[in-house]
Amino acid sequence: MIEENVKKLLESMPETNPYGEKVTLVGAVKLQTPDDINRAVSAGLHDIGDNHVQEFKDKYPLISGNPVRHFIGHLQTNKVKYLIGKIDLYHSLDRITLAEELSKRGEKTGVISNVLIQINIGNEESKSGFALSEAISAYEKIKAMDSLKIKGLMAMLPDTDDTNQLKRLATLMREKFDRLRQADRDIQFLSMGMSGDWRLCVDCGSNMIRLGTAIFGDRNYN
Ligand SMILES: *Cc1c(COP(=O)(O)O)cnc(C)c1O
């Protein structure tokens, strides 16, 4: 099933978004076994993203195929030390204190970390991230930190069936992304889209989608 899901997704995903940018599929691997993750990687999944530091630590040595490693979950500042140097792209820079810690650890170890700034596009209590109106000031503060390289923006759309609302929010994200990108050639990634809304997100200009259920099936939380 997993192999089939990966192959079907890679075949059916548009190679580029309407802006002509390559769309990257990141497998959201929370709660999946190393075996299942390895099956997805050997079926062609090049990128995987973890949510939990403990899970990442436990599974890290058991993952084969050398996929690109993303961290997509909320990250506690005191756990940064376990990840530094092992993550290719952090999606969830949701506060300045986290950026400071990542930069400080990077300076100590000589590691430059690639990061996305997380925007709470739906202004939801349950989600973290900067307000859209704070995006530029957060960008400027983080840009000044030595050991970080800002590669773009990340957002999770609200869980709603209101397609117009989703399109409106996704388009606002794309506009902010374009504004940053005009002035900064390092800005490349707009990480937006999960199993339920990725098509809409790509149509609106996302170029990086994070899929769990669509690859691995429903998660078992027990
Ligand atoms: C779990 C998770 C996903 C994937 O969610 P699905 O709906 O299973 O595709 C994407 N992004 C983040 C940040 C997640 O935590």
Side-chain angles (χ1 to χ4, degrees):
M1 263 312 262
I2 292 172
E3 287 90 339
E4 237 175 73
N5 290 344
V6 170
K7 284 183 182 143
K8 271 195 202 139
L9 269 170
L10 290 173
E11 272 166 29
S12 66
M13 263 173 61
E15 240 163 76
T16 57
N17 67 11
Y19 297 82
E21 299 155 354
K22 180 179 175 295
V23 178
T24 300
L25 169 63
V26 178
V29 300
K30 59 176 174 270
L31 301 178
Q32 307 304 334
T33 63
D35 267 1
D36 284 351
I37 299 168
N38 286 333
R39 284 163 65 197
V41 171
S42 64
L45 183 67
H46 287 289
D47 294 64
I48 64 173
D50 275 275
N51 277 75
H52 304 292
V53 173
Q54 189 59 48
E55 267 189 59
F56 173 82
K57 280 170 66 185
D58 292 345
K59 292 181 215 163
Y60 185 77
L62 305 173
I63 302 303
S64 46
N66 204 19
V68 177
R69 304 303 296 249
H70 301 250
F71 196 85
I72 63 177
H74 181 70
L75 179 54
Q76 285 173 265
T77 311
N78 62 356
K79 297 204 169 141
V80 165
K81 56 180 177 284
Y82 300 115
L83 300 181
I84 198 86
K86 292 185 174 154
I87 298 292
D88 297 294
L89 183 63
Y90 296 85
H91 289 228
S92 42
L93 232 69
D94 56 7
R95 58 201 192 281
I96 294 298
T97 50
L98 175 61
E100 285 169 346
E101 175 66 12
L102 205 50
S103 180
K104 196 180 85 191
R105 290 271 162 197
E107 269 163 52
K108 275 191 190 153
T109 49
V111 170
I112 306 258
S113 298
N114 295 316
V115 302
L116 305 180
I117 298 172
Q118 183 173 347
I119 304 297
N120 186 353
I121 188 63
N123 286 319
E124 296 174 276
E125 289 276 346
S126 61
K127 295 199 172 102
S128 57
F130 296 93
L132 188 66
S133 61
E134 296 170 335
I136 301 290
S137 70
Y139 165 83
E140 282 166 355
K141 283 184 196 138
I142 297 168
K143 188 76 186 170
M145 296 181 194
D146 284 337
S147 294
L148 301 183
K149 186 175 266 188
I150 305 171
K151 303 291 270 187
L153 299 177
M154 180 271 217
M156 274 185 269
L157 297 182
D159 187 10
T160 167
D161 293 331
D162 183 345
T163 308
N164 288 332
Q165 165 79 344
L166 292 173
K167 278 188 188 155
R168 191 178 67 79
L169 296 177
T171 302
L172 285 173
M173 283 301 302
R174 179 69 205 197
E175 285 167 6
K176 192 65 74 176
F177 172 78
D178 279 335
R179 188 167 154 204
L180 289 174
R181 200 175 52 140
Q182 272 167 14
D184 183 343
R185 301 304 298 173
D186 288 337
I187 301 288
Q188 298 179 46
F189 301 121
L190 178 56
S191 168
M192 184 170 68
M194 318 205 309
S195 294
D197 61 13
W198 68 267
R199 284 185 181 81
L200 179 147
C201 287
V202 170
D203 285 346
C204 292
S206 167
N207 58 30
M208 188 169 265
I209 57 178
R210 311 173 307 269
L211 308 189
T213 311
I215 295 173
F216 298 102
D218 286 333
R219 278 180 290 276
N220 181 359
Y221 284 97
N222 294 320

